Amino acid sequence: MVLRLLMRYLANNEQLIQRMADSYPMRRAAQLVVSLMYRTKSLAREQGLHEMTPERFKSFISMFKNNVKQELEGVKKDLKNKKD
């Protein structure tokens, strides 16, 4: 409850928000986010992901899930082997 009140006060404090927006860490974080967005957008275009149909997207997600499951199983086996 106290945390919620404190956060509401800080979020509504215009001077604090302006000072934070003008600070170097916030500006740098914004630059990094925009840079990452443009890099992923160009990467998606290069790999043809921006023209993905719903069926292709579903198959991509299912392949991704299967790969993650296989990797997790492999890691579990490795951990079991290390314990023994």
Side-chain angles (χ1 to χ4, degrees), residues 14-56:
E14 189 175 334
Q15 291 174 340
L16 177 64
I17 299 296
Q18 188 61 41
R19 286 187 69 191
M20 286 178 63
D22 291 338
S23 70
Y24 177 77
M26 289 295 205
R27 287 185 287 131
R28 184 67 181 146
Q31 288 172 347
L32 291 173
V33 167
V34 170
S35 172
L36 182 65
M37 183 188 72
Y38 280 119
R39 276 192 270 159
T40 55
K41 187 176 180 180
S42 67
L43 184 64
R45 282 195 178 138
E46 288 174 5
Q47 294 183 358
L49 298 176
H50 70 289
E51 297 172 351
M52 190 174 283
T53 63
E55 293 82 22
R56 187 173 169 201

Side-chain angles (χ1 to χ4, degrees), residues 1-23:
M1 186 70 177
V2 175
L3 183 60
R4 184 180 294 170
L5 290 172
L6 180 63
M7 292 302 291
R8 189 180 309 150
Y9 170 74
L10 294 174
N12 290 326
N13 188 341
E14 189 175 334
Q15 291 174 340
L16 177 64
I17 299 296
Q18 188 61 41
R19 286 187 69 191
M20 286 178 63
D22 291 338
S23 70

Side-chain angles (χ1 to χ4, degrees), residues 66-77:
N66 290 335
N67 289 339
V68 169
K69 285 179 185 178
Q70 290 174 356
E71 290 295 323
L72 285 174
E73 288 172 3
V75 169
K76 286 179 185 178
K77 287 179 184 177

